[in-house]
Amino acid sequence: MATVIQANNNDRQLGELDMVDTVIDQHDTGMASVLPGDEEARRQALGRKAVIAAAMGNILEWYDFAIYGFMASIIAQHFFPAENAASSLLATFAVFGVGFLMRPLGGVLIGRLADVKGRKVALLVTLFSMACSTVVIGLVPSFETIGIAAPIIIVLARLVQGFSGGGEWGGSTAFMVEWAPRGKRGFYGSFQQSSLAIGMLLGSAVAALTGTLLGAEALNDWGWRIPFLLGGVLGPVGLYLRRNIDESPAYEAVQAEANDTSQQQAENVTNSSLKRAVRAFGFTIMWTVSYYTMLTYMPTFIQHYAGMEASAALWSNTIGLIVLVLVVPLMGALSDRVGRRPLLLLCCASFVILPYPLFKWLLSEQTFLIVMLVQIIFALMISLVSGPGPAAIAEMFPTRTRSTWMSVGYSLAVTIFGGFAPFIATLLIEQTGTPISPTYYLIAGALASAFFIWTMRETAHVDLR
């Protein structure tokens, strides 16, 4: 690939780039390769290495981000004391949502950095800032010790985490999809969501294990800090992995052609990308509402309304995440065959029909087995969007502006509908007086996204631009 990009003659350069694209296409359709076999094998090996490194960093980053949600009940006691537990929990989830307010800004700035300086640089920045802010949360003294400074520091740390998370998603998604061979973008892109789920799984498992080993008293007193500090220790591992990866061939090819792009062409790309960002926004509503309601809020919901202890609630959530991690790549690969839209529309339908009866079942039985089964069913439902989703949203945008505009649409939707999902769910219950009310939020999100997905064109079998 480097030989093609470094060619001196522009016409020859573009021709050779087309040849590489042809080779990739032929590889996936079983045709003879134009490039030598060892060169094609080298490219595939680099692609696998790049995706694995990006996924590992993604795991560590989302572990750091998610651990706050899993420790919400304990954080409420230490940093947001109130006259009643509901008010304290509302304040804690409000701060969880505040972290998402920075995601659009992170998406724009870090996304722009990824489009101008490269995906690799952006991914290093996001991982470093996430690790540092997580350690801060683990070390800050409680409200009882330093007063109002404690919740202020927590808020600032969450803002940094949100800024990092906003840039991470777009950069890592673009990177993985751009490295994918033709016909495998759904499968490769699914590892973005699979690694995100692994990060949340790791956070849930560490939180559950900490509570099991230390006991409720020690966990509430000081043990809750361990998962946050562990995130800081793991950060350098991800930084090392990401330093040793190459830029995607698609990004390098676009950079090589950058000098031939006129100002008028750039303006046309911007106008077109704005329209696509709106579609990406609507596409993401159901995705983020279901994800943050069912995988971040559920452990707290199960404790408060299903009568289960914290460790049991976290273990059921962990089991659901394991299922999600395993099934998401399968759904991504399936979308490469049948298309993105059928799976996405099926997901919308499932979140309109199933949440209400599943919540009723969970609240009426209140056993660990039922809670676990409900978590597994919801994980299977979420996999219908998390598998094809990264490739589908990346395919909406041209390579030149993919990371920036994809991050804008996605991050805005996550900020408005996902970041405050636990807060909205808690508020709905408080206002209606019934714990079944979060299902209305899930149904509304599914209906909203169904409209945008129905109007999407199928992109599974179309080359990246």
Side-chain angles (χ1 to χ4, degrees):
M1 189 67 193
T3 301
V4 176
I5 295 173
Q6 292 173 0
N8 293 325
N9 183 275
N10 287 337
D11 294 334
R12 180 184 175 190
Q13 177 190 64
L14 295 176
E16 289 179 345
L17 287 171
D18 291 339
M19 181 184 71
V20 173
D21 290 337
T22 302
V23 172
I24 295 171
D25 295 348
Q26 290 174 341
H27 169 73
D28 287 311
T29 56
M31 297 172 65
S33 178
V34 175
L35 289 178
D38 57 346
E39 182 66 20
E40 179 63 19
R42 176 178 175 275
R43 183 196 179 281
Q44 292 185 50
L46 287 174
R48 288 191 294 269
K49 175 185 175 183
V51 171
I52 291 171
M56 290 298 295
N58 214 24
I59 289 169
L60 299 178
E61 177 126 356
W62 289 100
Y63 164 87
D64 288 350
F65 192 80
I67 200 70
Y68 181 96
F70 297 134
M71 292 295 180
S73 297
I74 298 174
I75 290 173
Q77 302 169 27
H78 287 281
F79 297 99
F80 303 97
E83 294 182 358
N84 59 75
S87 298
S88 182
L89 193 60
L90 276 172
T92 304
F93 280 133
V95 175
F96 180 83
V98 162
F100 284 77
L101 294 177
M102 291 293 285
R103 288 191 65 154
L105 181 60
V108 171
L109 296 182
I110 299 178
R112 180 61 179 166
L113 178 67
D115 285 334
V116 174
K117 297 296 183 181
R119 317 303 192 206
K120 177 179 175 179
V121 173
L123 294 178
L124 288 171
V125 169
T126 59
L127 188 57
F128 178 78
S129 56
M130 182 70 81
C132 290
S133 55
T134 302
V135 171
V136 168
I137 296 177
L139 293 177
V140 63
S142 66
F143 183 91
E144 184 179 353
T145 304
I146 62 173
I148 193 64
I152 291 175
I153 294 172
I154 293 292
V155 170
L156 292 175
R158 285 296 295 177
L159 290 174
V160 174
Q161 286 190 323
F163 181 85
S164 175
E168 168 70 20
W169 196 92
S172 61
T173 300
F175 188 77
M176 291 182 181
V177 172
E178 288 169 1
W179 264 111
R182 185 174 181 269
K184 296 184 179 179
R185 292 195 301 266
F187 179 65
Y188 271 55
S190 70
F191 285 99
Q192 199 288 332
Q193 283 299 113
S194 186
S195 60
L196 189 156
I198 292 174
M200 297 185 71
L201 168 62
L202 184 61
S204 181
V206 169
L209 185 62
T210 303
T212 301
L213 294 178
L214 297 181
E217 184 175 349
L219 181 67
N220 289 333
D221 187 24
W222 56 270
W224 65 271
R225 297 181 183 273
I226 293 176
F228 289 97
L229 298 177
L230 183 60
V233 173
L234 294 174
V237 177
L239 289 171
Y240 171 79
L241 290 170
R242 285 187 170 179
R243 284 186 62 188
N244 293 281
I245 55 178
D246 297 329
E247 287 292 352
S248 71
Y251 176 80
E252 289 185 333
V254 165
Q255 289 301 103
E257 299 172 11
N259 293 333
D260 298 328
T261 302
S262 68
Q263 180 65 29
Q264 181 63 44
Q265 287 173 321
E267 291 175 358
N268 291 338
V269 168
T270 299
N271 293 335
S272 178
S273 293
L274 274 170
K275 296 176 183 178
R276 292 186 177 96
V278 172
R279 177 163 291 172
F281 174 88
F283 170 91
T284 306
I285 293 173
M286 172 195 62
W287 194 357
T288 189
V289 167
S290 63
Y291 210 97
Y292 286 100
T293 300
M294 301 314 305
L295 298 177
T296 300
Y297 173 67
M298 277 302 282
T300 301
F301 178 89
I302 291 168
Q303 292 175 60
H304 282 256
Y305 303 105
M308 302 187 69
E309 294 183 355
S311 59
L314 286 167
W315 278 121
S316 68
N317 195 67
T318 299
I319 292 169
L321 283 166
I322 290 173
V323 173
L324 185 66
V325 167
L326 295 176
V327 176
V328 162
L330 300 179
M331 294 300 177
L334 181 61
S335 75
D336 287 327
R337 292 179 174 272
V338 304
R340 322 288 186 219
R341 292 179 73 252
L343 298 184
L344 296 172
L345 290 172
L346 179 60
C347 183
C348 290
S350 68
F351 271 103
V352 170
I353 297 170
L354 296 179
Y356 190 90
L358 288 175
F359 267 67
K360 288 284 287 186
W361 189 29
L362 185 153
L363 291 169
S364 62
E365 297 295 334
Q366 297 190 358
T367 66
F368 180 80
L369 177 61
I370 299 303
V371 169
M372 181 185 67
L373 289 174
V374 169
Q375 288 281 74
I376 290 173
I377 293 171
F378 274 118
L380 294 173
M381 292 161 61
I382 293 171
S383 72
L384 291 170
V385 64
S386 290
I393 196 170
E395 289 162 352
M396 295 180 188
F397 300 90
T399 300
R400 191 181 307 282
T401 59
R402 177 171 293 121
S403 186
T404 302
W405 290 105
M406 178 173 60
S407 296
V408 169
Y410 178 86
S411 295
L412 280 173
V414 171
T415 297
I416 297 171
F417 300 103
F420 288 95
F423 177 84
I424 292 171
T426 304
L427 187 62
L428 282 171
I429 293 172
E430 287 295 304
Q431 293 297 314
T432 63
T434 172
I436 203 73
S437 56
T439 61
Y440 307 144
Y441 189 47
L442 291 168
I443 293 170
L447 289 173
S449 285
F451 169 79
F452 288 93
I453 293 170
W454 184 261
T455 61
M456 283 172 51
R457 71 187 185 97
E458 182 58 68
T459 55
H461 310 296
V462 178
D463 290 338
L464 285 180
R465 291 164 294 134

